[in-house]
């Protein structure tokens, strides 16, 4: 999975949703692995017997055995077959619950509350008079009979929304016979009253008596969520889904919602303390080469007679460091551009220095500082259109589409023949799904400069997205003919072939790209063809070991390549190496550049951690599921 070098926001896809590039490798891998799994129903793996399939929101669990449904006798669910009116009422309530899942009632009444509620005593003339001090005098049969009457009366009180009375009646039923249903029904009353601590206490008691009581698990999960104990809620919803074979759509949605909520909370904590640093050299290189290569400004050439301890000398050192395309080189470049502006006396080079410092601030995630530098650069030297282009990309990442459009308009006013303007504007059209406009701008970029390979590649990708497969393939064949020594061409063509499940041809293209990278870039090699080949071998032949080796090789070359880390995590998880996979998912979160990317990675980490918790806290589930595989249980 390659990265077409672009200046688009690193959280956005700029190529095929399922197989092509983004300006952020981490964003691309989540999209590709998750969407490929959900659409092709093949990315399934079994961990301790739990089949797990990646979805757009994270990881969810499946099993194929029949589940235990709701207990008969639950408040609001017991009784004879419901009338059409009652079923319509419940259907309407279910629709309301779907809109506000966190506020749904844990138990539903099968009777409409009358305008004037009769007392429970009027409905039931013979409610047993149960007292704690006298319960010991009753026989077991008498206690069971009394408990049944008290529970029935409690259900009636619950139906009339007389929750305090229902709590008292269920409590007396529990004195007669500690039963998980009675505890869960009393928890439903506390749920209606918003007493979440009591809900947790009663559902926990119910689960102590029956650890696979689905309704009690869901009620406790709902209470935990209100108490903001999101990890506990996630565990309960997950266990509920496994037991219930994912037949309860609301519970399944709750798993996904909680995964995101837990990840968002942890993501904010990480962002608050995260050290701002440059992403992997693979990422930086692809971003920088999204702009057409130009010689250094006159007077800043490598041979220029400049004192390194001057501002101009530091700019030159920065440009030399950028050319190394290594992690150390990029770090040195960022420091040099910063130092240049500190030293000052830059003359006509000040706007260029601000542009370069703003570029590296942007790559580090310092958006506000980057915006300030790029804005000042445009004010000093409006003709430096690259500053407008970079600022446009930042505005889009920050959600200000109009500001991005205005920047492109100002850039064209300065130089309507700058092909970079049209290439990057096309990228933003692509992100927004405006493929016809994107294709038009890519074509304009090609007309102004036919030698920039990435305009051709992205045009082919856009044609593919528009459904013009034949045109797309023809564009890539022309690319191979005209740019036969450029590894990116083969890598991207391979991705298109992989998306069409033409595995053999795709692997051949990735191999060609890898060999070219080795020959032309001994330092700063692009590792993405290696990762693409790993994914191809997994999808094609499930060759886990070979795929792992390719990812490991990529990480040796570029240890901070987040896409390699994320891919390795998925491969480990699919082999049941849950603990190892968790470490890689957490590493992927560490390497993520933006909060959105961190949340995405943490969603996978939390799903993996929850699997381990299920195995530890619900061993009977892990044992029962171990031999099931679950492949046939996919939705």
């Amino acid at each position: 999975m390659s990265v077409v070098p672009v200046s688009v926001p690193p959280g956005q896809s700029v190529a095929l949703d399922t197989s092509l590039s983004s300006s952020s490798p981490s964003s691309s891998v989540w999209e590709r692995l998750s969407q490929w799994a959900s659409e092709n129903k093949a990315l399934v793996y079994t961990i301790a017997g739990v089949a797990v399939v990646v979805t757009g929101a994270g990881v969810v669990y499946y099993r194929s055995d029949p589940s235990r449904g709701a207990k008969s006798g639950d408040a609001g669910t017991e009784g004879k077959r419901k009338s059409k009116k009652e079923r319509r009422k419940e259907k309407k309530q279910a629709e309301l619950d779907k809109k506000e899942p966190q506020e749904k009632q844990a138990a539903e009444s099968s009777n409409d509350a009358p305008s004037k509620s009769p007392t429970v005593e009027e409905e039931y003339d013979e409610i047993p008079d149960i007292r704690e001090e006298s319960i010991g005098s009753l026989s077991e049969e008498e206690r069971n009979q009394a408990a049944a009457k008290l529970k029935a009366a409690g259900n009636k009180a619950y139906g009339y929304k007389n929750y305090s009375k229902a709590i008292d009646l269920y409590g007396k039923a529990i004195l007669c016979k500690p039963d998980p249903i009675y505890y869960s029904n009393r928890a439903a009353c506390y749920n209606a009253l918003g007493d979440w601590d009591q809900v947790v206490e009663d559902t926990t008691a119910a689960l102590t008596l029956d650890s696979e009581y689905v309704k009690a698990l869901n009620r406790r999960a709902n209470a935990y969520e209100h108490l903001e104990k999101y990890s506990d809620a996630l565990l309960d919803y997950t266990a509920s889904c496994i037991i219930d074979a994912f037949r309860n759509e609301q519970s399944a949605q709750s798993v996904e919602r909680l995964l995101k909520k837990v990840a968002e909370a942890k993501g904010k904590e990480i962002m608050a303390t995260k050290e701002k640093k440059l992403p992997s050299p693979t990422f930086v290189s692809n971003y920088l080469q999204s702009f057409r290569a130009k010689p250094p400004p006159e007077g800043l050439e490598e041979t220029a007679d400049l004192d390194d301890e001057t501002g101009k000398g530091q700019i030159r050192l920065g440009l030399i460091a950028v050319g190394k395309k290594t992690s150390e080189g990029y770090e040195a470049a960022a420091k040099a551009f910063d130092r240049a502006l500190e030293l000052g006396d830059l003359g006509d080079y000040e706007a260029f220095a601000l542009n370069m410092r703003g570029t590296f601030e942007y790559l580090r995630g310092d958006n506000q500082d980057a915006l300030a530098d790029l804005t000042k650069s445009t004010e000093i030297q409006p003709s430096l259109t690259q500053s407008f282009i970079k600022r446009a990309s930042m505005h889009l990442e920050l959600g200000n589409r109009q500001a991005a459009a205005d920047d492109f308009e100002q850039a064209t006013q300065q130089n309507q023949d700058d092909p970079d303007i049209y290439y990057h504007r096309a990228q933003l059209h692509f992100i927004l799904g405006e493929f016809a406009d994107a294709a038009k701008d890519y074509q304009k970029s090609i007309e102004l400069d036919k030698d920039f390979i990435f305009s051709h590649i992205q045009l082919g990708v856009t044609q593919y997205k528009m459904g013009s497969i034949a045109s797309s393939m023809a564009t890539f064949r022309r690319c191979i003919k005209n740019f036969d020594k450029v590894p990116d061409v083969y890598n991207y063509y391979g991705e298109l072939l992989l998306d069409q499940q033409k595995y053999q041809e795709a692997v051949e293209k990735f191999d060609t790209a890898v060999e070219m990278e080795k020959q032309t870039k001994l330092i700063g090699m692009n590792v993405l063809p290696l990762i693409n080949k790993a994914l191809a071998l997994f999808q094609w032949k499930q060759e886990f070991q070979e795929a792992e080796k390719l990812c490991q090789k990529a990480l040796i070359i570029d240890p901070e390549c987040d896409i390699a880390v994320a891919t390795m995590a998925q491969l480990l998880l699919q082999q049941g190496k849950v603990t190892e996979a968790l470490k890689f998912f957490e590493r992927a979160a560490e390497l993520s550049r933006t909060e959105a990317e961190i949340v995405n990675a943490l969603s996978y980490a939390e799903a993996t951690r929850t699997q381990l918790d299920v195995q530890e806290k619900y061993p009977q589930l892990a044992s029962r599921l171990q031999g099931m595989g679950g492949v046939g249980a996919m939705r």
Side-chain angles (χ1 to χ4, degrees):
M1 160 167 358
S2 306
V3 176
V4 171
V6 294
S7 66
V8 296
Q12 301 288 339
S13 171
V14 294
L16 289 176
D17 291 346
T18 56
S19 66
L20 292 181
S21 68
S22 89
S23 59
S24 165
S26 60
S27 173
S28 182
V29 73
W30 302 129
E31 288 184 12
R32 177 170 180 174
L33 288 173
S34 62
Q35 187 166 338
W36 177 77
S38 59
E39 290 183 354
N40 296 279
K41 298 184 181 295
L43 185 54
V44 181
Y45 37 85
T46 301
I47 292 56
V50 181
V52 189
V53 59
V54 181
T55 71
V59 179
V60 293
Y61 309 80
Y62 295 83
R63 58 173 290 244
S64 54
D65 273 0
S67 73
R68 299 178 58 148
K71 298 268 185 182
S72 65
D74 279 336
T77 62
E78 183 184 19
K80 63 184 180 180
R81 177 179 176 84
K82 298 178 178 61
S83 67
K84 289 183 178 179
K85 179 180 178 180
E86 291 167 338
R87 292 198 297 273
R88 285 198 301 270
K89 175 180 171 61
E90 290 187 347
K91 182 178 180 181
K92 183 177 180 180
Q93 182 62 43
E95 291 173 351
L96 292 173
D97 288 346
K98 188 173 183 180
K99 293 180 181 178
E100 300 183 71
Q102 294 184 34
E103 303 302 326
K104 67 180 183 297
Q105 292 295 324
E108 301 78 31
S109 173
S110 62
N111 298 293
D112 292 331
S115 58
K116 182 179 180 181
S117 302
T119 65
V120 175
E121 285 77 7
E122 290 173 345
E123 291 289 317
Y124 291 89
D125 296 330
E126 298 183 3
I127 295 178
D129 183 17
I130 298 299
R131 301 178 188 277
E132 189 170 359
E133 59 271 18
S134 62
I135 193 70
S137 63
L138 300 178
S139 67
E140 181 177 355
E141 183 178 355
E142 288 173 327
R143 288 198 298 271
N144 289 341
Q145 290 175 351
K149 290 182 179 180
L150 288 162
K151 182 207 61 174
N155 286 358
K156 184 66 68 173
Y158 180 91
Y160 292 137
K161 300 184 180 180
N162 190 346
Y163 301 122
S164 296
K165 184 64 178 179
I167 288 170
D168 178 64
L169 291 164
Y170 289 135
K172 290 180 179 179
I174 289 168
L175 286 175
C176 295
K177 178 185 177 183
D179 187 285
I181 294 174
Y182 305 162
Y183 279 110
S184 183
N185 284 2
R186 190 168 68 176
C189 298
Y190 287 125
N191 185 92
L193 297 172
D195 190 341
W196 308 116
D197 287 317
Q198 282 299 132
V199 174
V200 170
E201 184 175 324
D202 271 358
T203 51
T204 299
L207 291 164
T208 300
L209 296 168
D210 183 353
S211 61
E212 296 186 24
Y213 191 176
V214 169
K215 182 159 286 188
L217 278 166
N218 286 335
R219 284 177 180 155
R220 188 171 71 176
N222 182 56
Y224 276 142
E225 189 169 358
H226 279 87
L227 292 168
E228 298 185 0
K229 297 182 178 180
Y230 300 128
S231 294
D232 291 329
L234 178 58
L235 177 62
D236 277 355
Y237 275 131
T238 301
S240 168
C241 286
I242 294 172
I243 296 167
D244 207 22
F246 263 74
R247 286 198 291 264
N248 187 326
E249 187 64 29
Q250 286 187 355
S251 294
Q253 291 173 356
S254 294
V255 170
E256 297 180 359
R257 185 182 69 253
L258 264 296
L259 280 172
K260 183 178 180 182
K261 187 169 287 188
V262 172
E264 285 177 343
K266 292 189 176 183
K268 290 185 183 298
E269 294 176 5
I270 291 174
M271 284 300 293
T273 59
K274 184 179 176 62
E275 176 189 0
K276 296 293 178 67
K277 57 185 292 188
L278 291 174
S280 73
T282 298
F283 185 107
V284 177
S285 295
N286 280 288
Y287 177 84
L288 294 177
Q289 70 181 19
S290 69
F291 293 88
R292 285 160 172 81
K294 296 178 181 178
E298 187 176 353
L300 295 179
E301 299 89 352
E302 190 169 350
T303 57
D305 184 16
L306 294 172
D307 183 349
D308 288 347
E309 292 307 312
T310 64
K312 296 174 184 177
Q314 286 293 312
I315 297 177
R316 182 183 63 176
L317 289 177
L319 292 173
I320 293 172
V322 166
K324 295 179 180 178
K325 298 184 179 181
T326 63
S327 179
E328 295 77 12
Y330 290 135
E331 290 290 348
K335 292 178 181 177
F337 296 131
D338 191 50
R339 178 65 174 156
L341 286 157
E342 287 180 5
L343 292 171
D345 192 24
L346 299 174
D348 293 340
Y349 304 120
E350 183 177 2
F352 179 76
L354 286 164
N355 175 293
M356 294 307 295
R357 185 172 74 174
T359 299
F360 281 88
E361 287 168 338
Y362 171 57
L363 289 167
R364 278 199 304 263
D366 291 327
N367 286 347
Q368 294 307 316
D369 289 343
L371 275 176
D373 277 351
L374 291 171
T375 297
K376 190 173 181 180
S377 175
T378 62
E379 293 169 352
I380 295 172
Q381 186 181 340
S383 61
L384 185 58
T385 55
Q386 194 180 99
S387 295
F388 285 109
I389 296 170
K390 291 177 179 177
R391 193 173 68 176
S393 297
M394 293 192 61
H395 280 313
L396 189 70
E397 181 174 329
L398 296 172
N400 194 339
R401 179 178 177 179
Q402 186 56 52
D406 290 344
D407 274 339
F408 280 117
E409 179 61 29
Q410 292 183 71
T412 54
Q413 290 174 4
Q414 293 297 322
N415 183 3
Q416 63 180 356
D417 293 327
D418 183 349
D420 276 343
I421 297 173
Y422 302 99
Y423 175 78
H424 288 279
R425 190 171 69 181
Q427 298 288 64
L428 301 192
H429 281 310
F430 192 103
I431 290 171
L432 297 169
E434 299 164 353
F435 300 124
D437 289 333
K440 182 179 178 181
D441 272 347
Y442 286 133
Q443 191 61 55
K444 177 68 173 179
S445 177
I446 292 170
E447 290 172 3
L448 291 170
D449 177 12
K450 62 181 178 59
D451 295 328
F452 187 62
I453 178 59
F454 298 108
S455 295
H456 297 271
I457 288 175
Q458 282 299 102
L459 175 61
V461 170
T462 303
Q463 291 167 333
Y464 194 93
K465 287 290 289 184
M466 295 172 71
S468 301
I469 309 301
S471 296
S472 175
M473 294 294 99
T475 297
F476 271 92
R477 285 192 293 271
R478 285 195 300 271
C479 285
I480 288 179
K481 179 180 179 181
N482 297 325
F483 302 93
D484 61 322
K485 303 300 183 184
V486 180
D488 300 270
V489 175
Y490 298 91
N491 190 39
Y492 282 91
Y493 191 25
E495 292 191 344
L496 285 177
L497 294 168
L498 181 57
D499 192 68
Q500 298 171 69
Q501 299 182 12
K502 297 179 179 180
Y503 299 116
Q504 182 67 52
E505 294 178 70
V507 168
E508 290 173 359
K509 295 297 183 291
F510 296 141
D511 282 336
T512 300
V514 168
E515 289 306 311
M516 286 187 173
E517 288 284 349
K518 290 178 181 178
Q519 294 170 13
T520 60
K521 303 176 185 176
L522 296 178
I523 299 177
M525 173 182 170
N526 189 338
V527 300
L528 297 174
L530 289 169
I531 302 167
N532 269 331
K533 182 180 178 181
L535 289 171
L537 291 176
F538 161 64
Q539 292 182 22
W540 183 17
K541 299 179 179 178
Q542 289 75 55
E543 291 185 5
F544 291 109
Q545 290 187 346
E546 184 60 29
E548 273 191 51
K549 288 179 182 178
L550 289 166
C551 287
Q552 289 167 351
K553 186 180 295 185
L555 286 170
I556 291 172
I557 297 169
D558 186 353
E560 297 199 344
C561 181
D562 50 356
I563 191 172
V565 171
T567 305
M568 179 66 85
Q570 293 283 2
L571 292 170
L572 290 168
L573 193 58
Q574 291 152 35
Q575 296 174 76
K577 301 175 182 178
V578 187
T579 304
E580 295 176 61
L582 179 57
K583 293 177 182 178
F584 276 91
F585 280 128
E586 290 174 337
R587 176 62 175 157
E590 292 174 5
L591 293 173
S592 296
R593 175 181 167 274
T594 67
E595 186 172 339
E597 293 170 5
I598 290 173
V599 169
N600 213 351
L602 286 176
S603 294
Y604 284 82
E606 289 306 313
T608 307
R609 184 178 289 105
T610 301
Q611 294 171 39
L612 293 172
D613 289 342
V614 166
Q615 294 177 42
E616 177 184 350
K617 297 180 180 180
Y618 298 97
Q620 77 280 8
L621 294 183
S623 175
R624 185 196 317 162
L625 293 167
Q626 191 164 6
M628 293 172 48
V631 174
M634 291 187 61
R635 294 183 291 182

